[in-house]
Amino acid sequence: MLKLTKKADYGLMALKYLAEHPETPALSAKDVADAYGIPAQLLAKILQRLTKTGLLRSQAGINGGYALARDARQISAYEVILAIDGPFFITSCTKGAHGCELTPSCTIKEPLARVNETIAGVLKSISIHDLVEQEHPPQGGDKKGLVSLTV
Amino acid sequence: MLKLTKKADYGLMALKYLAEHPETPALSAKDVADAYGIPAQLLAKILQRLTKTGLLRSQAGINGGYALARDARQISAYEVILAIDGPFFITSCTKGAHGCELTPSCTIKEPLARVNETIAGVLKSISIHDLVEQEHPPQGGDKKGLVSLTV
DNA sequence: CAGTATACGACTAATTTGGTCGGCCTTACA
DNA sequence: TGTAAGGCCGACCAAATTAGTCGTATACTG
């Protein structure tokens, strides 16, 4: 539990793959899907979603496909997950307009909202480029870590 | 997405409720369920789970019920969630014994494992007592925050 | 021994997620 | 200029997970 959906996983994998192939002008959904052995049509839908939210640029027609809309460093894991899975909250009820149904239950949620922000912060601090980097894990100053934040 | 299950929510709410009533020797599942308007039998199962994992003490019979097994400060949100929802990983595949099915997909997961640890760290740093405290949000040094961690 | 409560497992229902299908629109290029 | 590769989109079905219910056994109190 508390896990990403497969769709978000696929999306991240695909973006990483695109980031790893900057030379090619565009890769089709099928290309990426085959590379990872995931359902092509499903990936297609995901990439379409990412395109609509501006993370990818697409090109129809022969030799068409997708490419990152920005530098891999400028795309955070947070944006990807948000685009695919929609806004997430660790609490079941959003403390938006309507409040919570269960009478006093929201008392739990307020402190957990901070947890939520922390998670979002971590996710925002990780870029697609970081994912590429990590594949060949740094041997030297490994300990310095990837993330540092205070809430 | 990335949200707690209702069961975990209920569990946290119930523990908070128990923490708020330290004077009473035990509260029944029904008492708590009624207080929050949640299904009594479902809550019962959750509390039983928490009892089995040692977070609660239970007493059968008349005037029986549940009470915190430890001080509210010594019970972390992490333990509660873990007890109810089982171990969670932000990645779809655990990097345990078998590795991942999808050929190269795990390259994504490794960096995300750190995110996972961060989340676990935040959750571990929040106790049931903190949930109680937060209900009357501190007016003064509000800005100091609840959590501070480096990964 | 009667009533209240936990303990536990099986079962069903609801929701979410994963995945498929079919049709339409765009583009390169022969 | 027409055809095939490929994106775009919505509806749909299937699988998995989560939520919730029921029944029964067991434990404790008076």
Side-chain angles (χ1 to χ4, degrees), chain A residues 59-65:
Chain A
Q59 171 108 19
I62 225 166
N63 285 330

Side-chain angles (χ1 to χ4, degrees), chain A residues 1-4 9 13 16 85 88-90 92 105 107-109 111 115 126 131 135 147 149 151, chain B residues 1-4 9 13 16 85 88-90 92 105 107-109 111 115 123 126 131 135 147 149 151:
Chain A
M1 110 100 235
L2 204 62
K3 66 182 187 301
L4 269 61
D9 263 7
M13 292 194 292
K16 171 164 177 288
D85 288 337
F88 60 86
F89 293 96
I90 203 172
S92 295
S105 69
T107 56
I108 290 299
K109 323 284 176 122
V115 177
I126 293 182
L131 298 183
E135 183 159 16
V147 177
L149 78 162
V151 182
Chain B
M1 105 103 234
L2 206 60
K3 67 181 186 300
L4 269 62
D9 263 7
M13 291 192 295
K16 171 165 178 288
D85 287 339
F88 59 86
F89 295 94
I90 202 173
S92 297
S105 69
T107 56
I108 291 299
K109 324 285 177 119
V115 177
L123 256 16
I126 293 182
L131 298 183
E135 183 158 16
V147 176
L149 78 161
V151 182

Side-chain angles (χ1 to χ4, degrees), chain A residues 38-101:
Chain A
I38 62 186
Q41 303 204 70
L42 181 55
L43 217 218
K45 274 210 313 197
I46 294 167
L47 296 183
Q48 285 161 28
R49 194 96 147 253
L50 293 174
T51 302
K52 205 154 52 172
T53 55
L55 265 41
L56 292 177
R57 277 180 298 102
S58 69
Q59 171 108 19
I62 225 166
N63 285 330
Y66 299 90
L68 299 184
R70 313 177 219 150
D71 187 275
R73 283 166 224 267
Q74 303 302 319
I75 301 177
S76 71
Y78 178 83
E79 291 177 278
V80 179
I81 296 168
L82 190 71
I84 297 174
D85 288 337
F88 60 86
F89 293 96
I90 203 172
T91 55
S92 295
C93 72
T94 67
K95 64 167 185 179
H98 55 16
C100 188
E101 317 83 53

